[in-house]
Amino acid sequence: MFSTDQSKTSNNLPIQEDKRVFINDTDWDKIAVYLIGNQQRFRENIIIPRMIGPVQIKTNEEKMVERAMESCAFKSIMSCVLGYGLGAAIGLFSSSVNPNITSVEKQQTAREIFREMKMTTLSYAKNFAAVGCVFSAVECTIESYRGKTDWRNGTYAGGVTGGLIGLRAGIKAGLIGAAGFAAFSTAIDYYMHRS
């Protein structure tokens, strides 16, 4: 046995290293390494879909912020704030275009005009904020419950929101409001997904 090893080295053939870890038999040793050894390896075959720019794996902090921003509470608050701003802009525009003239004989002062503009602006802002908050909260809740993102979520949320808003004026107004708001939400959703 000693002479064969020397003959291999004398023929300039490299001696194969013995890679057995646990058992002398090579096959059983491979099985033992598979069952007992460390099988954690760096994964080089992860495929991340590419967008524009380099691919970056999100950190835990980025995932946490993303979860917070996709929560129903954040969406509702954001819709409330944006609805308030949009309502204030529309209220300011409508009050400046069509001022409320209370009496023809008395000339209004600038202070009274600004007070009316403020009241109209705040009224529109509060209404838009309430509608945005309720619609967003209901839609997010329905989407979370159903587990789907499709046109039905907006339609159901529009029906519930319109019904709640119209219910202040009575049952009939609530039903009409629910049907109207659901139809409007469906039309907007259809238009947004078609274009």
Side-chain angles (χ1 to χ4, degrees):
M1 183 169 176
F2 183 73
S3 62
T4 56
D5 287 341
Q6 284 182 346
S7 64
K8 285 183 181 177
T9 55
S10 63
N11 293 336
N12 294 331
L13 293 174
I15 298 174
Q16 297 213 352
E17 296 179 18
D18 191 15
K19 295 185 179 181
R20 288 175 289 182
V21 179
F22 297 111
I23 304 172
N24 289 338
D25 187 18
T26 315
D27 293 331
W28 285 105
D29 188 62
K30 287 180 185 177
I31 293 172
V33 167
Y34 180 77
L35 294 175
I36 299 171
N38 186 8
Q39 296 297 316
Q40 294 179 349
R41 292 179 178 85
F42 180 73
R43 299 207 35 199
E44 298 177 0
N45 58 350
I46 296 175
I47 298 173
I48 301 173
R50 265 194 116 123
M51 300 296 214
I52 299 172
V55 175
Q56 295 179 348
I57 298 175
K58 294 178 183 174
T59 63
N60 289 335
E61 290 81 15
E62 288 174 331
K63 291 177 187 176
M64 186 176 66
V65 169
E66 190 175 88
R67 269 195 308 270
M69 292 182 74
E70 290 181 1
S71 67
C72 291
F74 182 81
K75 287 181 179 180
S76 300
I77 291 169
M78 214 47 211
S79 294
C80 184
V81 170
L82 292 175
Y84 190 87
L86 180 65
I90 291 174
L92 183 63
F93 176 74
S94 68
S95 67
S96 65
V97 170
N98 188 17
N100 187 10
I101 300 174
T102 54
S103 64
V104 178
E105 301 96 23
K106 183 181 173 190
Q107 185 112 21
Q108 283 185 320
T109 63
R111 175 175 274 169
E112 291 173 348
I113 292 173
F114 283 133
R115 187 178 297 128
E116 286 180 17
M117 288 176 74
K118 178 184 172 187
M119 296 297 287
T120 306
T121 301
L122 287 177
S123 173
Y124 273 82
K126 288 177 187 176
N127 289 336
F128 272 71
V131 169
C133 183
V134 170
F135 181 83
S136 180
V138 171
E139 184 185 28
C140 185
T141 304
I142 290 172
E143 184 176 332
S144 298
Y145 177 75
R146 291 184 67 225
K148 294 180 183 178
T149 304
D150 58 2
W151 62 273
R152 291 181 184 175
N153 296 335
T155 303
Y156 296 154
V160 171
T161 305
L164 288 174
I165 291 170
L167 200 58
R168 294 185 295 183
I171 302 276
K172 186 177 179 182
L175 292 174
I176 293 171
F181 211 111
F184 179 73
S185 298
T186 305
I188 292 295
D189 206 14
Y190 177 77
Y191 174 75
M192 295 297 280
H193 287 307
R194 284 290 292 225
S195 58

